[in-house]
Every structure is written in C-alpha cells, then in structure tokens.
Amino acid sequence: MLSQKQKQQLIAIVGKENVDDSKAGRLAYSYDATPLYQSLPDAVVSPRSTNNVAEIVKFCNVHRIPIVPRGSGTNLCAGTCPTEGGIVLLFKNMNKIIEIDEENLTVTVQPGIITLDLINAVEEKGLFYPPDPSSMKISTIGGNISENSGGLRGLKYGVTHDYVIGLEIVLPNGETIRTGGKLAKDVAGYNFTSLFVGSEGTLGIITEATLKLIPMPETKKTMLALYQDIEAAANSVSKIIANKIIPATLEFLDKPTIEAVEAYAQIGLPTNVEAILIIEQDGPHEIVEHDMEKIKTICQAEKSVSVQVAKSQEEAEALTTARRTALSALARLKPTTILEDATVPRSEIANMVRAINEIAAKYNITICTFGHAGDGNLHPTCPTDVRNHDEIERVEKAFAEIFAKAIELGGTITGEHGVGEMKAPYLELKLGKEGILAMKAVKSALDPNNIMNPGKIFAKANRKRVVIKT
Amino acid sequence: MLSQKQKQQLIAIVGKENVDDSKAGRLAYSYDATPLYQSLPDAVVSPRSTNNVAEIVKFCNVHRIPIVPRGSGTNLCAGTCPTEGGIVLLFKNMNKIIEIDEENLTVTVQPGIITLDLINAVEEKGLFYPPDPSSMKISTIGGNISENSGGLRGLKYGVTHDYVIGLEIVLPNGETIRTGGKLAKDVAGYNFTSLFVGSEGTLGIITEATLKLIPMPETKKTMLALYQDIEAAANSVSKIIANKIIPATLEFLDKPTIEAVEAYAQIGLPTNVEAILIIEQDGPHEIVEHDMEKIKTICQAEKSVSVQVAKSQEEAEALTTARRTALSALARLKPTTILEDATVPRSEIANMVRAINEIAAKYNITICTFGHAGDGNLHPTCPTDVRNHDEIERVEKAFAEIFAKAIELGGTITGEHGVGEMKAPYLELKLGKEGILAMKAVKSALDPNNIMNPGKIFAKANRKRVVIKT
C-alpha cells in the first residue's frame, strides 16, 4: 500500500482525478485478459504528459515502487497483471495522434491511442498501418508496441516491430530518451527502438511512437478453402508459400473452432468440415486476381473440398471479422479459456497441428486450434474450468508439452503474445540458461532497482504457472 | 603484443596456419576502407568453427585481449580498425551457405560468405535477398549484419536488419546463444536479434545467421531522369513517395559525382546536367509499367529536363552498376576520399542538399553528393588530401556542421555506415547524454571487460576525429 504522503506526492504530479487507490479501482486493474492471474496494485495513476511519466518514474525509483504500464489489458500473457503490486500506469490521457506526415509516410502517436482509431485515421489519407491484432478494437498502440503484437496481416506485412521507427522512452531512472525518427535508415548506436518493442514494459515506458505507414493496397480479395483433412489444410499453407506467393492473410481454423465461431458470429461458416483456411490477398487488381487463381489451384491440388472467393466486400469482411472473434467465441464454451501461441517454421505446421491433437488426447482435454498458419503461429486454445483443479493440472501439462514440441520443431514458445508472467517458466526452453542470463544482464543494466513491471519475462526459480486460489 | 605462450594457445585452438602475427599480416589488417584510421593488431586469427570462436573469446576474456571481428573491411566508419590492438578475427574459414530452405524462404549462412555469392545462390532458386550494399562484391554477410548495411534497394525492401531472423552469437563471456530462428514471429524475450544487428562487433561475435528471403520480383525497369536544378531532383523524390509509389531504387547523383562516375565507368551519362535520379521499380510487369508511367509524369512536372527508361537490361544494369562505383570513381579525384552518410527524413532532402553545398562553399572545399535519396540517405563525399592539414581541418569542420544540420532536420549522423571509431564523437548529437549512457550500460552488462571491438561507438571524452600522423 502507498502511504498517505506517497499518494499526495503522486497527486501533486498528475492531479487528484488521476490517482485512484480505491478498492474498486485497484480491483479493476488487478488482472488483464489472461485467465488465472490476479494481483492487486497499490494505485492506478494516469499521467497527462511525458513529463508526468518522468516524474512518476523518478518517484517510484526512489521509493522502489513497481510500475506496470498498461494499455487496455488485452494481452494474453499476464503481461499487465500487477504481479508485485505497485502502480498501474494508464494512458487514457495520452491517447492523441500527434501527426500524420503524408510526405514521409509516418504517423506519430501517444501510447494510449486505440489501434483501430489509428488505423482508421491513416486509412482516411489513403495510408495503411498493417498490424491488426484481433483485439485492435480495444487494444492500444502502446500495448501493441510493448508486446510486439501481430495480427492477421503479419504474413505479408510483418508485425508491430516492423512499423515502429522512432520512440520516446522514459527510462527507469526517469530520464527521457528518443530513438530513431522519421527515418528510413538509422544506425547511430544500438537499435534501442527494436530492443524496446516487445520488452513488455520491463525496460522503460514508451511515451510517444513514430510508426511507418505504407500506401494503401489498391484492392483485396478473400477466399475460403474447406478441408476434410487437417493436414491437407496445413500442407496447402506450405505449398502456397513454397510457390512464392505471399498472401496478406492465411488463417487456419479447425472444426471445433469453426463450430464455436459459427455459433457466435452466425455468418454461415460450414460446420461439417475438419478445417478451413481463410486466405486474403491484397495489392493491385491484376495481381490479386492472378494470385487468387494460383492459390485456388494449389488448394485444390492439396485436397481442398471447396474453394470459394467471397462475392462481396461484406462477405469478405464477415470472414475476417469472424476469425477475429475466435477467442470470444471459444470463451463462451467453458468458464475458463486458455489460449496459447506456440509458433513453428511454417513448414512444420502440419506436424505441429498433429502433435497438438495427440497431446490433447493424451491428457484428455479439449484443444481447439486456429491461428496465423502462414506465420506458423498457431493458437491452441483450451476451454476449461479453473475450478476443476484436476483438469487444470492436465491442461498445464499439455501446454508444457506443446511448448516443448514447438521448440523441437525449430519454433518458439510465443509468436506474438509475449512472455509476461505466464510463459516466463518456459522461456529457458527457447533461450537456454545463457540466453536468459544475457537478457537479465540487459534488464539489470537499465533497471537496477527492478521497478519496471517486475515479475515478467524472467521466472522465479522452479516456478511453473501459478493458479490463483479459488 | 602477444606473448609466445599466448600465441601458442591460439595456435592450439585454430592451428598454426590460422594465426598470423607477422609484421606484414598485422599491417594488412591495421586499417579498413575508412581513410585516416590505422592501428596495428597483435595478431590475425581465423577460426574454423563456432567452437573455435568460443574458445578464442574465452581466452581473450581471461587475458583482456581486444577482439575485432572483421569481414572484408569495406566499412566506412573505421569499424574494423584495431583501435586498441588485440586480435583481428577473420572469417575466411567460415564462409559457407549452410542451407537454403525453399519451404520457409530462409537461408542460413556462416558470417564469412561474400554478400554477392549469397545473392547469386538464392537467385538461382528464384528467391531474393534484397540488401545490396555497394560493396556487395567483396563485403561479407557478417560485416553487413554487424554494420546493418543498406544498399540501393533499401527504399522498398529495407536494410540488412529487416532480413535477419536468427543468429548464433558467441557472447563476450565465451558462451554461445541462439536468437530467433526460421520464424515469421518470435517474441520470446528481448529482441536480441535486432540488438546485435548493427552492434558493430561490440556486443559479441556472430557465427551463424538465418536470413529471410522473399520471392524474386517478376521484372524490373530502370529510368534515368535529368535535372538542371538540384532542388527539382530532390522535390521529385518527395513527390514520388507522397504520391504513394515506393520504387525499389531512387538514387541521386549531383553534377560532380556524375562527372567522376562517367569518367570512370564510361557508360554515356550526361555530364551537362546538375543532377540525375536513377529510379528502378520491380514487381509484376503491369505494375512496373504503371508505376514507371506515373513516376515519369511526376518527374516531368517537377522540371526534369529528360526522363528515359533504359531500353535493355544491359543498359539498366550499366546505370545501377555505375551508381555503385560512385565511391571508387570519386576516390580517383584526390589522394583521400571522405564519404559520409548523414540521413534525413526524405521530405528534407532538398534542404539537406542545399545545406551541404552551402557548408562546402563556407569551408572552401569540394563536396560531391550522391546517395539513396528515397531513404533520405545522402553520401556527401569530399575528395581531399590527408597531407593538406589545413584543408583536412576544414573538411572536419564542414562534416561536423553537416551532421548538426542533419540532426536539426530530424535526421541522424549515420544512415547505414555505422558509428565505429569515426563517428563516435558525434553520436551524442543524435542520442543525447542519457541515450549514450543507456547504451553504454547495455555494453557493460554484456561485455564488462570491454574486449569486444573496444574504442567503437562510444567516444573517449572530448575527442573529435583523429587524424593519423603522416
């Protein structure tokens, strides 16, 4: 808990209306979108400016108070759970678009802006910001940067990291630095822009970002390919790319996911098939037509039972929107939904899907799998119930095995969700002891007092997932 | 100097034929492509494997011997000058392509492979590795990664950083770690892949790299636009991109550069104009045609006096090859050639070119300017003579002013050449004191004994460029 004096000091920085240490306020920010994790912060503070942030950080550094920067809390790795208490930093007062620069194709924003608001604003100018996490209607750019969010368009366009070209950062010592700029190229010193993207709020606080934009693609088309055989769908993914076509979107949904999504979105998805691929290509009209024809031929050769191009933009949008609802749809099945994002080289998608299903059977749990197949980024998702301790234990064991399998196939424990508190116990699988030590050295160098989002990325010894007491 | 015992220990690791401490051998590696910098190493050592590298690093860490990893020494920032002596590490025995993976569109290589050899090998499979530094005929991928090299195709395709997706690194403590992989996405921990790209050999030694490839563009076309007005050429660059066309290449050469290049390459470049743009677009046939038409219209509207599309592939290649020879061509004019790479937002290209010319006039020196205009990345180049101390002093002052101007325009002191020893004194202009302190903290955390390429990136107090005694 903060002392009265500490609370007054925070109020002196941001104003009374921007400090909340009420029980209700603290409870509201004691968890994020990740199930099974909860921890009360001492207060919720909403700075109005970079200077405010710098003053708060200096204050916290002196008093050794943890700071948990938080966008909308849509992350799925317990990245914004206030694991060790302290202050949750909200960016509701720092949510402006500072500038859209049409000559340099950049947009400069404050961290609190909602991703979709940014996307809509730049699209009005004929510009395109590709990263589109499924949570984009509520997620913030600051959160996207902290977690290096992906999305449905990652295959062709890359992820958040590929669009961040400049940052303003308040370091754990309270000093403000700037990295990069409106620059296509910059090699002045270490690439701190990239180091901070995806650092999950553990190295400093992002207070402004300059993002690269690209011209809006001329047109796009969306295709739905149906399969009675999961591996045929996975093989289609590999074959499309091996044929040197890079679609904008290449999404996979298995039968249980299709059923859940159709029950939720009711757009007429076929529920009598084993898997579907949603494939989107964008670009100049002729190229889209040409690529879609080639993709259709490949899918058919790989035993797709039906390949249909969406007839209208509405139908196309219904498909991608339905895909974006997958988590919400699956969340309706059971009280608790555990969603993961093991990622493999895309050539291993078929092997990974097979392994997931074998592991689910072994532990007698249900796993629905969907995800960004073109990126090798799957979301095996388990509808379960936190009150069923026996099942939760089997779920934990199954996911540990899924992570190990992903690593065995040359993959990683997380493709786009981040490590946070949740996957910290598994990080060594990917990085090895020495890799973790090197990263810890960087963390300690920049944040010697460990005030920045402590308890994330680096696991406490021997700790696996923590299930909260119910 | 190494002791006899130390020399024998190195020989025990890599074999007699891979340790050279002869006067001639040391002299040959006492400098790189950067004028005015020279310093003798104690020995030149050529490891044959990652294990060799790890053993060498452990040995050097114990004995506090500096290690300078070096590709072909084509860098232009004195990045591989053995500033504090020690061992120059050559990768001539580690120059293999380990694998081209056509399903995942990746290539895995050892650091010593020549860039062009890699490019040719993947192009044989219909795949494309875009980064093409002008030195690509002799530069190595290891060097490209260490300096985050750019090239002529950076505008559309990005730089080396955008293609490195996995690294094997020997850390300064001699431990070997792996980052990333054949993965479209990976957020397991800090982005060490990006941190090490462009770290100029100061954080560890890259012993293997996995690079992303993309499908080879279907076709390309090259255009030459002539101008009697430098600003009209610069304005054309801004207008093309503001019109949402991203050419593959958008290069600028001013009159003195054109004259030097034509005298050297003799391909019929017009020497009676003030500036030229070399513009290349690649992609599907229809798109290339369409874009080239639009670009032509824009250049004409911006007062280009002639716009010609190359009639054959040979003519096109002659143009880009001529551009790549610019440094060699300018180097023939005077005994010493100082080439810089101040970079600005591309909207500021016209202002930057004007400032460079004003600064050259002020200091009564010749500056020829060419570069990647589309990236805002100019190479103001001064043909001079190191023996003319008075002129060299004016050259130094002029470049200091050019860097300051670039920063004033929202730019950076180096777009693609790196900081090395040469630009270390100017780094604070871009990063500020606090930015440098943060980067130094990371350096010290990973390399507490400062054995990895010491004397680079971080300047000694108050030191500006060092001119060697002649």
Side-chain angles (χ1 to χ4, degrees):
Chain A
M1 286 294 294
L2 296 181
S3 68
Q4 268 307 311
K5 190 178 163 201
Q6 287 173 332
K7 183 179 169 182
Q8 288 310 320
Q9 286 175 299
L10 286 169
I11 288 173
I13 298 170
V14 297
K16 196 161 190 279
E17 68 282 16
N18 290 313
V19 177
D20 182 359
D21 66 347
S22 69
K23 188 76 197 282
R26 291 164 59 220
L27 201 61
Y29 293 98
S30 65
Y31 58 91
D32 55 29
T34 322
L36 313 189
Y37 293 85
Q38 189 169 23
S39 187
L40 278 176
D42 298 318
V44 181
V45 179
S46 305
R48 294 159 305 180
S49 66
T50 300
N51 277 344
N52 274 185
V53 174
E55 285 186 71
I56 294 166
V57 172
K58 280 177 187 161
F59 165 81
C60 288
N61 199 26
V62 166
H63 296 276
R64 305 288 192 267
I65 296 170
I67 307 176
V68 182
R70 175 180 167 124
S72 299
T74 52
N75 77 85
L76 295 164
C77 64
T80 49
C81 179
T83 314
E84 304 191 3
I87 286 171
V88 168
L89 216 59
L90 291 189
F91 293 90
K92 62 182 184 185
N93 303 321
M94 293 174 70
N95 62 354
K96 308 289 180 300
I97 293 180
I98 296 169
E99 183 199 29
I100 298 175
D101 181 338
E102 294 184 71
E103 213 167 356
N104 290 304
L105 306 189
T106 61
V107 58
T108 299
V109 298
Q110 291 185 310
I113 186 164
I114 301 295
T115 311
L116 190 59
D117 291 347
L118 166 80
I119 289 175
N120 288 336
V122 304
E123 290 192 356
E124 269 178 34
K125 311 258 185 196
L127 295 168
F128 189 38
Y129 177 72
D132 61 340
S134 292
S135 56
M136 66 185 183
K137 278 188 194 173
I138 39 170
S139 70
T140 67
I141 289 292
N144 294 170
I145 293 172
S146 290
E147 298 294 341
N148 189 12
S149 303
L152 269 63
R153 301 189 284 231
L155 173 57
K156 183 172 185 175
Y157 292 106
V159 296
T160 302
H161 172 253
D162 298 299
Y163 293 87
V164 183
I165 58 173
L167 291 174
E168 182 186 72
I169 301 161
V170 174
L171 295 173
N173 61 7
E175 298 292 344
T176 303
I177 64 170
R178 281 189 168 269
T179 72
K182 288 183 189 175
L183 297 166
K185 291 165 161 180
D186 178 22
V187 292
Y190 302 139
N191 190 342
F192 262 33
T193 308
S194 289
L195 179 64
F196 277 83
V197 175
S199 65
E200 306 188 9
T202 64
L203 298 179
I205 294 170
I206 291 157
T207 48
E208 191 183 299
T210 297
L211 309 170
K212 184 172 88 167
L213 303 172
I214 58 177
M216 192 73 193
E218 195 179 302
T219 187
K220 69 178 170 188
K221 284 217 165 185
T222 308
M223 179 187 280
L224 183 66
L226 314 182
Y227 295 84
Q228 288 301 358
D229 172 358
I230 286 182
E231 293 199 22
N235 289 336
S236 297
V237 171
S238 300
K239 283 284 157 56
I240 290 166
I241 294 165
N243 271 278
K244 305 189 174 67
I245 304 169
I246 310 290
T249 294
L250 189 33
E251 295 289 314
F252 168 91
L253 285 78
D254 72 357
K255 188 185 176 79
T257 309
I258 301 166
E259 286 169 349
V261 167
E262 178 55 22
Y264 181 73
Q266 300 185 344
I267 61 156
L269 284 180
T271 51
N272 59 344
V273 294
E274 288 301 313
I276 61 174
L277 293 179
I278 298 172
I279 307 167
E280 199 160 84
Q281 182 58 304
D282 61 10
H285 187 74
E286 309 89 302
I287 306 314
V288 171
E289 289 293 331
H290 176 255
D291 282 357
M292 287 310 242
E293 268 310 307
K294 273 178 78 177
I295 292 169
K296 187 174 178 179
T297 307
I298 292 165
C299 292
Q300 285 167 339
E302 294 298 323
K303 300 189 215 151
S304 170
V305 293
S306 158
V307 186
Q308 293 289 339
V309 175
K311 287 176 200 72
S312 64
Q313 211 189 319
E314 291 67 39
E315 193 182 322
E317 267 173 29
L319 280 173
T320 50
T321 304
R323 159 59 190 87
R324 282 185 218 281
T325 65
L327 172 54
S328 311
L330 291 168
R332 297 165 77 223
L333 301 182
K334 287 278 194 85
T336 309
T337 310
I338 298 183
L339 181 148
E340 278 301 344
D341 77 325
T343 300
V344 291
R346 66 172 73 90
S347 61
E348 301 293 347
I349 279 282
N351 289 330
M352 193 66 212
V353 170
R354 195 184 316 122
I356 289 168
N357 289 336
E358 284 166 8
I359 292 166
K362 175 177 166 186
Y363 289 100
N364 189 27
I365 57 172
T366 301
I367 294 187
C368 311
T369 298
F370 64 99
H372 318 296
D375 302 333
N377 181 196
L378 294 172
H379 293 312
T381 302
C382 181
T384 180
D385 187 339
V386 68
R387 294 161 300 187
N388 183 341
H389 294 260
D390 171 65
E391 180 166 297
I392 286 286
E393 198 162 309
R394 283 180 281 121
V395 171
E396 299 287 351
K397 283 182 183 160
F399 276 114
E401 231 171 89
I402 287 171
F403 295 144
K405 185 70 188 181
I407 298 292
E408 184 194 319
L409 294 173
T412 183
I413 60 166
T414 172
E416 60 179 9
H417 289 171
V419 178
E421 185 179 350
M422 189 168 92
K423 258 180 292 201
Y426 306 100
L427 189 61
E428 196 179 312
L429 284 176
K430 173 69 172 78
L431 300 179
K433 274 193 180 19
E434 293 300 332
I436 288 183
L437 282 176
M439 289 189 187
K440 270 190 179 170
V442 168
K443 162 75 172 169
S444 300
L446 294 176
D447 183 19
N449 298 323
N450 195 26
I451 60 163
M452 290 303 314
N453 209 2
K456 308 298 155 55
I457 300 184
F458 305 110
K460 286 170 184 159
N462 299 323
R463 197 172 53 87
K464 292 282 170 183
R465 289 180 185 223
V466 181
V467 179
I468 54 162
K469 311 294 179 287
T470 51
Chain B
M1 286 293 294
L2 296 181
S3 69
Q4 268 307 310
K5 189 177 163 204
Q6 287 174 331
K7 183 178 170 184
Q8 289 309 320
Q9 286 175 300
L10 286 169
I11 288 173
I13 298 170
V14 296
K16 197 163 190 276
E17 69 282 16
N18 289 314
V19 178
D20 182 359
D21 67 347
S22 70
K23 187 78 198 278
R26 292 163 57 220
L27 202 60
Y29 292 98
S30 64
Y31 57 91
D32 56 30
T34 323
L36 312 188
Y37 292 85
Q38 188 169 24
S39 187
L40 279 175
D42 298 319
V44 182
V45 178
S46 305
R48 295 160 306 180
S49 65
T50 300
N51 277 344
N52 274 187
V53 174
E55 285 186 71
I56 294 166
V57 172
K58 279 178 187 161
F59 165 82
C60 289
N61 199 27
V62 168
H63 296 276
R64 307 288 193 266
I65 297 170
I67 308 177
V68 183
R70 176 182 166 122
S72 299
T74 51
N75 75 85
L76 296 164
C77 64
T80 50
C81 178
T83 314
E84 303 190 5
I87 286 171
V88 169
L89 216 58
L90 292 189
F91 292 90
K92 61 181 183 185
N93 303 320
M94 294 176 69
N95 62 354
K96 308 288 180 301
I97 294 179
I98 296 168
E99 182 199 29
I100 299 175
D101 181 337
E102 294 184 71
E103 213 168 354
N104 290 304
L105 305 191
T106 62
V107 59
T108 300
V109 298
Q110 291 185 309
I113 186 164
I114 301 294
T115 311
L116 190 59
D117 291 349
L118 165 80
I119 289 176
N120 288 336
V122 303
E123 289 193 357
E124 269 178 33
K125 312 258 185 196
L127 295 170
F128 189 38
Y129 177 72
D132 60 341
S134 292
S135 57
M136 66 183 182
K137 279 187 191 172
I138 38 171
S139 71
T140 67
I141 289 292
N144 294 170
I145 293 172
S146 291
E147 298 294 342
N148 189 11
S149 303
L152 269 62
R153 300 190 285 231
L155 172 56
K156 184 173 183 174
Y157 292 106
V159 296
T160 303
H161 172 253
D162 299 299
Y163 293 87
V164 183
I165 57 173
L167 291 173
E168 182 186 71
I169 301 162
V170 174
L171 294 173
N173 61 5
E175 298 293 344
T176 304
I177 65 169
R178 282 188 169 269
T179 71
K182 288 182 187 176
L183 297 167
K185 291 166 164 182
D186 178 22
V187 292
Y190 301 141
N191 189 342
F192 262 32
T193 308
S194 289
L195 179 64
F196 277 82
V197 175
S199 66
E200 306 189 9
T202 64
L203 297 180
I205 295 170
I206 291 157
T207 49
E208 192 183 297
T210 297
L211 309 171
K212 183 174 87 166
L213 303 172
I214 58 176
M216 192 72 192
E218 194 179 303
T219 187
K220 69 178 169 188
K221 285 219 165 184
T222 309
M223 179 187 277
L224 184 66
L226 314 182
Y227 295 84
Q228 288 301 359
D229 173 357
I230 288 182
E231 293 198 23
N235 288 336
S236 296
V237 171
S238 301
K239 283 284 157 58
I240 290 166
I241 294 166
N243 271 277
K244 306 192 175 66
I245 305 170
I246 310 289
T249 294
L250 190 33
E251 295 289 313
F252 168 92
L253 286 79
D254 71 358
K255 187 185 178 78
T257 310
I258 301 166
E259 285 169 348
V261 167
E262 179 55 23
Y264 180 75
Q266 300 187 343
I267 61 155
L269 284 180
T271 51
N272 59 345
V273 295
E274 288 302 312
I276 61 175
L277 292 179
I278 298 173
I279 307 167
E280 201 161 83
Q281 183 57 304
D282 62 10
H285 187 73
E286 309 88 302
I287 306 314
V288 171
E289 289 294 332
H290 176 254
D291 281 357
M292 286 311 240
E293 268 311 306
K294 272 178 79 176
I295 292 170
K296 188 174 177 178
T297 307
I298 293 165
C299 291
Q300 285 168 340
E302 293 298 323
K303 299 188 216 152
S304 170
V305 293
S306 158
V307 187
Q308 293 287 337
V309 175
K311 286 176 202 69
S312 64
Q313 210 188 319
E314 291 69 39
E315 195 183 318
E317 268 174 27
L319 280 174
T320 50
T321 304
R323 159 60 189 86
R324 282 187 218 280
T325 66
L327 172 54
S328 313
L330 290 169
R332 295 165 79 224
L333 302 181
K334 288 277 194 86
T336 309
T337 311
I338 298 183
L339 180 150
E340 279 301 347
D341 77 327
T343 301
V344 291
R346 68 172 71 91
S347 60
E348 301 293 346
I349 278 281
N351 289 330
M352 193 67 213
V353 170
R354 195 184 316 121
I356 289 169
N357 290 336
E358 284 166 8
I359 292 165
K362 173 177 169 187
Y363 288 101
N364 189 28
I365 57 172
T366 302
I367 294 187
C368 311
T369 298
F370 65 99
H372 318 297
D375 301 333
N377 180 197
L378 294 171
H379 293 311
T381 302
C382 181
T384 181
D385 186 340
V386 68
R387 294 161 301 188
N388 183 342
H389 293 259
D390 171 63
E391 181 167 296
I392 287 286
E393 197 162 309
R394 282 182 280 121
V395 171
E396 299 288 351
K397 284 182 182 159
F399 276 113
E401 233 171 87
I402 287 171
F403 296 143
K405 185 70 188 179
I407 298 292
E408 185 193 318
L409 296 173
T412 183
I413 60 166
T414 173
E416 60 180 8
H417 290 173
V419 178
E421 184 178 351
M422 188 167 94
K423 258 178 294 200
Y426 305 100
L427 189 62
E428 196 179 312
L429 285 176
K430 174 70 173 81
L431 300 179
K433 273 194 183 18
E434 292 300 332
I436 288 183
L437 282 176
M439 289 190 188
K440 271 189 177 169
V442 168
K443 161 76 172 168
S444 300
L446 294 176
D447 182 20
N449 298 323
N450 195 25
I451 60 163
M452 291 304 313
N453 209 3
K456 307 299 153 54
I457 300 184
F458 305 109
K460 287 170 182 157
N462 299 321
R463 196 172 54 87
K464 290 285 169 182
R465 289 181 186 223
V466 181
V467 178
I468 54 165
K469 311 294 177 290
T470 51

